[in-house]
Amino acid sequence: MAEPDAVQTFEDGLTKIRGAYEQALRDATDEPELRLVNGRYVGPQGELTKLLKLMPKLPGDRRRELGQRANALKQEIQTTFDVVLDGIHRRARDAELTGPSLDVTLPGRWPMPGRLHPITRIRNEVLEILVSLGFDVADGPEIELYENCFDKLGFPPDHPATDEHDTFFIEGGKPSGPHSVLLRTQTSTIQVREMSRREPPLAIVSPGAVYRRDDDATHSPMFFQLEGFLVDTDVTFAELKGVLTLFLRRLFDEHVAVRFRASYFPFVEPGGEVDMSCVFCRAWEGDKERTTACRVCKGNGWMEILGCGMIHPVVFENVGYDPEKYTGFAFGMGLDRIAMLKYGIPNIKLLYDNDVRFLSQF
Ligand code: DAH
């Protein structure tokens, strides 16, 4: 329905916009401002947009002409917008090219380089020593057969280590047979795996993750061990003592004293545990007062460091070696424990929390 005032309103609107838009656009000093001003004319709520919405109200004989004028104005606004925007871009580029170059007085941002995890560092140090003594490095799976973890290492079926409270069995409860699958509880599995596929002489070490249902300040359900063993004809306990003493002295301090205590592990006979003089109070220096006050060895001057022994004939039989012909020794240690002792870390959880404040101290 044509309204008599609509033509007047339309024409006044066009005149007003025409008189103002150009200056308004040219006054804009940057792109966001320019776009804002442009929107006031041709945006969804812009003045010209609103006028165009009046078109249906114009009388038929004027509609065409006024529509053309409005569109022409819209086109002019677009052209001016383009010219002004181009000018803004050009000025910004000129300013960049002619302005001061780079502010070299700004302090740089320091990159945070990564570093090796303390357990990785210890593993590398330990391997370096043992490889220099002639040991090969082997690897094995963390998901293991029951028989490789227990049976073939001489564990009786009712040994506490095979209990559900100690072991993570995969697929349900306590296994029904040697082919059941579990997360290995010890790297001694490598003895079975390597001996089953190679003939003596053998000297092998193998670091890796192991799993037990254990969780407190000194135990984590996943931790790292290193297993070592050597098989040949005529290997004696003397070689075992020699290798381990040399190893501990290289790793900790050339002066540490080492002692062997009888102990039981199903896959060695005789079996033993190795103590080393306390590296915190430096017990070998004989300062009684310092040792008495030592929190780590609790004043007795020794700390337990690893398990070891002469490989049990039953293990040789289980892997197809002749126990009359071959002898050998084996040892196993917790790499977490060694890292804790070497770096004075009080709680095993610190090794697995991934706290950068802790890790960046190594
Ligand atoms: N596998 C043992 C454990 O997890 C450690 C160990 C003890 C390894 C004596 C050995 C050994 O090779 O001879 O507690």
Side-chain angles (χ1 to χ4, degrees):
M1 184 50 122
E3 283 176 27
D5 291 350
V7 172
Q8 194 61 45
T9 311
F10 203 90
E11 287 195 311
D12 287 353
L14 290 184
T15 309
K16 182 169 166 253
I17 296 168
R18 180 172 291 289
Y21 85 87
E22 183 154 2
Q23 196 55 47
L25 288 174
R26 289 194 188 280
D27 282 350
T29 51
D30 60 18
E31 185 170 341
E33 194 186 337
L34 176 66
R35 291 190 181 280
L36 195 78
V37 174
N38 191 53
R40 280 191 208 128
Y41 296 107
V42 294
Q45 302 297 325
E47 286 178 41
L48 186 56
T49 314
K50 280 185 191 155
L51 278 191
L52 287 167
K53 283 184 189 149
L54 284 181
M55 291 275 292
K57 297 194 169 130
L58 296 173
D61 58 341
R62 300 294 308 278
R63 204 174 284 161
R64 187 182 156 87
E65 175 229 333
L66 287 170
Q68 276 171 352
R69 279 168 58 191
N71 276 326
L73 181 57
K74 194 171 177 184
Q75 194 53 56
E76 284 168 39
I77 294 176
Q78 180 65 47
T79 307
T80 308
F81 173 85
D82 290 342
V83 170
V84 176
L85 183 62
D86 193 49
I88 288 174
H89 285 167
R90 207 164 348 98
R91 275 199 302 281
R93 213 183 55 230
D94 286 350
E96 240 176 60
L97 292 174
T98 56
S101 45
L102 179 67
D103 184 356
V104 290
T105 65
L106 267 182
R109 271 182 225 159
W110 208 248
M112 270 239 295
R115 60 185 81 206
L116 295 179
H117 190 278
I119 292 183
T120 307
R121 276 185 53 179
I122 280 289
R123 187 197 63 193
N124 292 352
E125 269 184 63
V126 165
L127 285 181
E128 204 172 300
I129 297 171
L130 291 166
V131 166
S132 80
L133 292 176
F135 286 86
D136 286 341
V137 181
D139 199 10
E142 292 169 25
I143 297 175
E144 184 54 282
L145 294 176
Y146 184 92
E147 61 176 0
N148 289 344
C149 198
F150 297 126
D151 294 338
K152 290 192 172 169
L153 285 166
F155 282 74
D158 56 348
H159 190 282
T162 68
D163 202 276
E164 282 173 62
H165 297 295
D166 287 312
T167 300
F168 292 102
F169 291 101
I170 292 181
E171 285 172 10
K174 192 147 180 170
S176 47
H179 298 295
S180 307
V181 177
L182 45 77
L183 296 181
R184 68 178 177 188
T185 61
Q186 51 183 355
T187 43
S188 304
T189 52
I190 301 296
Q191 291 188 36
V192 176
R193 287 185 164 269
E194 290 298 310
M195 286 191 233
S196 300
R197 64 184 195 93
R198 292 162 73 165
E199 287 298 313
L202 281 182
I204 298 201
V205 287
S206 182
V210 299
Y211 301 84
R212 289 183 199 174
R213 291 181 184 254
D214 245 349
D215 206 0
D216 60 34
T218 51
H219 297 91
S220 152
M222 189 278 307
F223 61 104
F224 288 87
Q225 282 192 335
L226 179 128
E227 185 80 11
F229 61 98
L230 181 148
V231 184
D232 202 345
T233 50
D234 302 320
V235 180
T236 71
F237 206 91
E239 274 89 36
L240 171 60
K241 282 185 89 166
V243 165
L244 289 182
T245 304
L246 195 71
F247 165 71
L248 291 173
R249 288 187 173 159
R250 285 215 192 146
L251 185 61
F252 286 99
D253 190 295
E254 58 175 324
H255 300 291
V256 291
V258 173
R259 75 178 183 189
F260 291 72
R261 270 183 297 110
S263 184
Y264 172 75
F265 300 95
F267 41 90
V268 281
E269 180 59 36
E273 267 167 77
V274 179
D275 297 338
M276 172 180 82
S277 43
C278 180
V279 288
F280 285 92
C281 60
R282 302 176 67 81
W284 62 88
E285 286 172 0
D287 184 335
K288 289 270 176 330
E289 239 172 76
R290 197 171 57 203
T291 296
T292 311
C294 181
R295 280 182 309 109
V296 179
C297 67
K298 308 222 161 50
N300 76 30
W302 294 99
M303 43 202 210
E304 200 178 302
I305 190 86
L306 52 82
C308 65
M310 300 306 291
I311 297 174
H312 199 293
V314 83
V315 177
F316 286 149
E317 273 165 18
N318 289 339
V319 298
Y321 285 2
D322 179 357
E324 297 296 325
K325 186 167 165 199
Y326 295 116
T327 49
F329 65 75
F331 56 93
M333 66 192 86
L335 289 176
D336 310 65
R337 181 167 162 73
I338 299 220
M340 289 167 76
L341 291 177
K342 187 136 188 208
Y343 301 133
I345 300 166
N347 189 320
I348 194 169
K349 298 292 181 306
L350 288 166
L351 291 170
Y352 300 114
D353 280 348
N354 271 343
D355 188 331
V356 175
R357 287 168 304 178
F358 168 77
L359 293 174
S360 61
Q361 293 175 42
F362 294 91

